Amino acid sequence: MAITFDLSGKTAVITGSNSGIGLGIARELAMAGADVVLNSFTDRDEDHALAEEIANVAGVKARYIKADMSKGAECRKLIEEAGACDILVNNAGIQHVAPIDEFPEEKWDAIIAINLSSAFHTTAAALPLMRKAGWGRVVNIASAHGLTASPYKSAYIAAKHGIVGLTKTTALETAEEPITANAICPGYVLTPLVEAQIPDQMKAHDMDRDTVVREVMLARQPSKEFATVEQMGGTCAFLCSDAAAQITGTTISVDGGWTAL
Ligand code: NAD
């Protein structure tokens, strides 16, 4: 049988997808033919407009559902409202940087809830739908920080290591079914969030853009290039394809060599 990257007839739910990597993944999966459900915690006209734009460009069904991924009940309701979930991409995430002894408790709780527990709730709600459909893909967006650590990012690193563990358990519990679970571990990806940090870093280090990107921001990324949201989307589409049907319970690094160091 020929290997196909055609995802038509599948429905993908991507958490945290009104910007950055989640939006890039939604666009790529839609271009591969999947119907997509976008999500974030806001309910603005521009959120719904993104879904409309994807539907028009890709010729698929696309909608936006508001749900706060810091709340377990809303995570489960997102999947229920989506109605179908052949592909689940757990992408919503936030960051806070501080030493452990100064790390605000509420930031720890929010990061663990949004970056880790949300994936437990959505996966629990999605697996019965995947089993009913007889096919499923869980793609968790971890990080190079799911495999290595850096100082001052305790909650983020704990959550990202946790999601790698959840990915492995999901894969083992579905191993004999046509369902896979994998994690993508990006290095630095040029999203609006990262782009916005460049002017401050230029000022703080008194460097031009190219130097600050190379020497400061990409200090640990040997390629000295940001990864792109399109590359995240392409990697996700590959994991959803027939070519990846026997890839389960593992991580794929898209980090310009960071974890090879
Ligand atoms: P981003 O800020 O552009 O996207 C985060 C998304 O999560 C947004 O859509 C935001 O609205 C959503 N979100 C935040 N809180 C939410 C909540 N309570 N409920 C629902 N949605 C919520 O950032 P990004 O860089 O695109 O990050 C996306 C994912 O990729 C995160 O899990 C992040 O940890 C991971 N990641 C990013 C990088 C990078 O360099 N950008 C590297 C490694 C991993």
Side-chain angles (χ1 to χ4, degrees):
M1 191 179 71
I3 293 292
T4 171
F5 280 58
D6 180 9
L7 299 177
S8 43
K10 309 296 186 198
T11 299
V13 180
I14 306 106
T15 72
S17 46
N18 66 351
S19 86
I21 293 173
L23 181 55
I25 289 175
R27 288 201 163 112
E28 292 296 320
L29 295 183
M31 290 312 290
D35 294 333
V36 294
V37 175
L38 305 187
N39 153 264
S40 186
F41 59 92
T42 50
D43 198 7
R44 307 165 302 180
D45 289 347
E46 59 245 56
D47 297 323
H48 295 274
L50 283 172
E52 212 172 298
E53 177 216 308
I54 289 176
N56 289 337
V57 171
V60 297
K61 287 189 207 139
R63 60 197 169 115
Y64 176 88
I65 300 177
K66 177 199 167 197
D68 183 347
M69 293 297 104
S70 69
K71 300 188 170 77
E74 290 200 28
C75 297
R76 289 171 189 260
K77 199 156 160 277
L78 167 66
I79 305 300
E80 195 185 305
E81 268 185 50
C85 183
D86 307 297
I87 298 166
L88 171 63
V89 183
N90 287 304
N91 167 80
I94 58 167
Q95 174 66 285
H96 186 79
V97 179
I100 291 174
D101 52 342
E102 293 169 20
F103 210 93
E105 209 177 306
E106 67 278 8
K107 292 284 185 199
W108 171 276
D109 289 344
I111 290 174
I112 298 299
I114 296 167
N115 297 20
L116 176 58
S117 301
S118 69
F120 159 69
H121 293 293
T122 53
T123 303
L127 284 180
L129 297 182
M130 292 177 181
R131 286 181 172 131
K132 205 167 136 203
W135 190 92
R137 295 284 188 267
V138 179
V139 180
N140 292 325
I141 307 305
S143 167
H145 279 131
L147 304 168
T148 64
S150 300
Y152 314 127
K153 296 183 176 174
S154 54
Y156 187 85
I157 286 160
K160 294 299 186 182
H161 276 70
I163 206 160
V164 169
L166 175 65
T167 304
K168 292 177 184 176
T169 302
T170 307
L172 292 181
E173 290 188 17
T174 56
E176 293 189 31
E177 302 171 82
I179 296 172
T180 68
N182 293 288
I184 298 176
C185 293
Y188 255 111
V189 184
L190 194 55
T191 61
L193 199 82
V194 172
E195 182 70 54
Q197 295 169 27
I198 297 177
D200 287 345
Q201 294 281 10
M202 286 167 65
K203 233 186 268 169
H205 295 272
D206 193 22
M207 289 175 175
D208 61 30
R209 183 190 160 95
D210 286 353
T211 314
V212 90
V213 164
R214 202 182 157 79
E215 305 297 331
V216 178
M217 303 189 72
L218 297 177
R220 292 177 71 179
Q221 200 145 310
S223 66
K224 300 297 175 194
E225 279 184 36
F226 287 113
T228 66
V229 299
E230 290 78 12
Q231 289 161 357
M232 298 306 138
T235 305
C236 186
F238 162 69
L239 286 173
C240 295
S241 76
D242 292 342
Q246 283 299 316
I247 300 177
T248 195
T250 194
T251 59
I252 295 200
S253 293
V254 188
D255 65 2
W258 178 332
T259 43
L261 277 175

